C-alpha cells in the first residue's frame, strides 16, 4: 500500500494545503464513504452537505468552497482533476506482467527493450519491436511486424494482428482486437469476393482502448487513432477510420468504414456513425445518436427517442409513419387558403 503525507500530496498536485501536512493518506474515496487515511473531493455544489459528515483525512476543494470545511483541505481550481491525479499517485493496480515468463513464446527476431515484461503464454511474433518497460499480459498475441511503444500495457488476451503500431504509454484492455480485417468485399452476381485488407493500424501516444473493442486494419491505407484518445469497451472502429487527438468514444458505439472524426470530440455510448462521413473538431454526440451526414460545425448533436410507455410508443410509431401524408395534407391546405402570388 502506498502512503504519502498531505504535504507531499500538495506538492505533487500543485495545491494549496490548509491543515496538517504530516497526516498520511493511502487511497481515495467519495465524500460519503471516505474514512481516515483517505482523500475525497467535491466538485458538485449539490453535495456540499456531505462535508459536514465526511470522515476523510483531507478533501480537495475549490478556493471558494474551502471555508465550508473545517478539516484538512487541498485547494485546486479543478478538484476532479486533482482527485484523478491523486488516484494515479496512490494506485495499487498490479502489473499486467512481471519479468518474462518461461512459457512465453518469443520469436528470435523480436526486439524487446529494457525492462519489458511478458506474462505466461503470451506470443510475440517475428520482427516485433517492443519499447522499454512495456507490459505484455498473459495470453496476449502480438503478430509479426508490429511495434509496441515504451511503457505500453497490454492486458491479458489482447490480440494484435500484423503491421500494427502503438505509440508510447498506451493501455489496451483484455479482449481488444487490433488489426483484424476490415469488412471489404465486392459482389459478383450474388457472390461475395473478399478484398484483402493490406493496410495497417497506427495508434498514437497515450491512447487507451477498452475491453472487447475492435480496431480493423485499413483496406489500403492505415486506420489511425491519434494521440490522447480514450475508447471505451465494445466499440467497433472500422477500416480506414481516422480519429483525431484527444477524442473520447463511449461504449457500444459503431463507426462504419472511412469515417474521419476530428479532435476533442466526445461520442456518447451506442452511437452509430455511417461510413465515409467527416465529423469536425469539438463535436459532442449524445448517447444513441445516429449520424448519417457530415457534421461540419462544433456543438452538441442528438437523435433517437426517449423511453416511454409501450402503448404510447406504439401509437407514436404509427403516427410517425403517417408524417409524410400529414405533411402533404397540410401543404395542400396552405395552398387552398393562401392566394397565389402574381
Amino acid at each position: 500500500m502506498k502512503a504519502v503525507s498531505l504535504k507531499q500530496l500538495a506538492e505533487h498536485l500543485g495545491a494549496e494545503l490548509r491543515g496538517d501536512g504530516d497526516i498520511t493518506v493511502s487511497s481515495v474515496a467519495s465524500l460519503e464513504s471516505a474514512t481516515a487515511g483517505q482523500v475525497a473531493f467535491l466538485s458538485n455544489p449539490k453535495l456540499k452537505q456531505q462535508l459536514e459528515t465526511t470522515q476523510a483525512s483531507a478533501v480537495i476543494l475549490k478556493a471558494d468552497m474551502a471555508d465550508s470545511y473545517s478539516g484538512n483541505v487541498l485547494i485546486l481550481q479543478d478538484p476532479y482533476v486533482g482527485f484523478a491525479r491523486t488516484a494515479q499517485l496512490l494506485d495499487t493496480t498490479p502489473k499486467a506482467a512481471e519479468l518474462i515468463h518461461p512459457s512465453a513464446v518469443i520469436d528470435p527476431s523480436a526486439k524487446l527493450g529494457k525492462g519489458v515484461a511478458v506474462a505466461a503464454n503470451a506470443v510475440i511474433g517475428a520482427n516485433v519491436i517492443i519499447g522499454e518497460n512495456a507490459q505484455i499480459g498473459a495470453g496476449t498475441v502480438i503478430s509479426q511486424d508490429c511495434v509496441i511503444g515504451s511503457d505500453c500495457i497490454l492486458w491479458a488476451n489482447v490480440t494484435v494482428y500484423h503491421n500494427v503500431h502503438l505509440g508510447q504509454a498506451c493501455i489496451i484492455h483484455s479482449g481488444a482486437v487490433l488489426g483484424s480485417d476490415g469488412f471489404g468485399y465486392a459482389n459478383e452476381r450474388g457472390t461475395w469476393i473478399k478484398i484483402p485488407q493490406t493496410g495497417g493500424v497506427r495508434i498514437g501516444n497515450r491512447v487507451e482502448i477498452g475491453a472487447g473493442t475492435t480496431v480493423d486494419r485499413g483496406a489500403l491505407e492505415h486506420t489511425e487513432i491519434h494521440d490522447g484518445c480514450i475508447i471505451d469497451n465494445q466499440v467497433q472502429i472500422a477500416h480506414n477510420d481516422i480519429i483525431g487527438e484527444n477524442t473520447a468514444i463511449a461504449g457500444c458505439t459503431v463507426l462504419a468504414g472511412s469515417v474521419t472524426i476530428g479532435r476533442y470530440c466526445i461520442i456518447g455510448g451506442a452511437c452509430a456513425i455511417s461510413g465515409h462521413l467527416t465529423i469536425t473538431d469539438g463535436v459532442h454526440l449524445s448517447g444513441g445518436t445516429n449520424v448519417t451526414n457530415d457534421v461540419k460545425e462544433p456543438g452538441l448533436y442528438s437523435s433517437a427517442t426517449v423511453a416511454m410507455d409501450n402503448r404510447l410508443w406504439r401509437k407514436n410509431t404509427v403516427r410517425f409513419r403517417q408524417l409524410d401524408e400529414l405533411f402533404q395534407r397540410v401543404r395542400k391546405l396552405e395552398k387552398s387558403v393562401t392566394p397565389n402570388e402574381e
Side-chain angles (χ1 to χ4, degrees), residues 167-199:
Q168 298 180 3
C170 294
I171 302 173
I172 313 297
H173 290 279
S174 293
V177 178
L178 309 181
S180 51
D181 278 359
F183 198 58
Y185 298 85
N187 192 288
E188 183 181 31
R189 297 187 296 276
T191 299
W192 293 108
I193 309 299
K194 182 176 179 63
I195 300 171
Q197 305 291 284
T198 57

Side-chain angles (χ1 to χ4, degrees), residues 306-316:
V306 297
M308 63 186 74
D309 178 82
N310 182 261
R311 289 173 296 179
L312 179 59
W313 175 79
R314 288 174 179 270
K315 290 179 180 179
N316 286 340

Side-chain angles (χ1 to χ4, degrees), residues 249-266:
I249 302 178
C252 297
T253 284
V254 176
L255 277 63
S258 300
V259 168
T260 298
I261 297 178
R263 302 179 302 158
Y264 303 102
C265 293
I266 299 175

Side-chain angles (χ1 to χ4, degrees), residues 34 80 164 168 171 208 219-220 228 253 276 285 341:
Y80 191 53
V164 173
Q168 298 180 3
I171 302 173
E208 185 161 359
L220 297 173
T253 284
H276 300 273
L285 302 179
E341 296 182 1

Side-chain angles (χ1 to χ4, degrees), residues 96-272:
E98 297 273 5
L99 305 177
I100 297 180
H101 196 276
S103 66
V105 178
I106 302 173
D107 190 275
S109 64
K111 298 179 180 179
L112 277 58
K114 183 179 179 181
V116 169
V118 184
N121 299 316
V123 178
I124 298 175
N127 303 314
V128 168
I129 299 173
I130 301 180
E132 294 183 358
N133 301 314
Q135 302 171 33
I136 310 302
T140 285
V141 176
I142 303 173
S143 300
Q144 66 189 49
D145 301 318
C146 289
V147 176
I148 309 297
S150 60
D151 300 307
C152 283
I153 300 173
L154 278 62
W155 286 98
N157 298 314
V158 170
T159 300
V160 184
Y161 281 59
H162 57 285
N163 191 20
V164 173
H165 292 192
L166 276 68
Q168 298 180 3
C170 294
I171 302 173
I172 313 297
H173 290 279
S174 293
V177 178
L178 309 181
S180 51
D181 278 359
F183 198 58
Y185 298 85
N187 192 288
E188 183 181 31
R189 297 187 296 276
T191 299
W192 293 108
I193 309 299
K194 182 176 179 63
I195 300 171
Q197 305 291 284
T198 57
V201 174
R202 298 294 182 265
I203 295 174
N205 302 319
R206 305 178 314 283
V207 171
E208 185 161 359
I209 295 177
T213 285
T214 302
V215 181
D216 288 343
R217 65 191 318 101
L220 297 173
E221 306 299 329
H222 301 312
T223 300
E224 300 178 16
I225 302 175
H226 293 181
D227 293 352
C229 288
I230 52 175
I231 299 171
D232 199 1
N233 301 336
Q234 298 177 350
V235 173
Q236 161 65 18
I237 298 174
H239 58 181
N240 299 109
D241 288 341
I242 299 175
I243 302 174
E245 295 175 7
N246 295 300
T247 282
I249 302 178
C252 297
T253 284
V254 176
L255 277 63
S258 300
V259 168
T260 298
I261 297 178
R263 302 179 302 158
Y264 303 102
C265 293
I266 299 175
I267 312 299
C271 289

Side-chain angles (χ1 to χ4, degrees), residues 71-95:
N72 299 306
V73 177
L74 294 159
I75 300 173
L76 281 174
Q77 183 176 359
D78 191 332
Y80 191 53
V81 171
F83 177 77
R85 295 195 183 282
T86 302
Q88 286 184 349
L89 179 66
L90 301 176
D91 187 17
T92 57
T93 301
K95 292 184 177 181

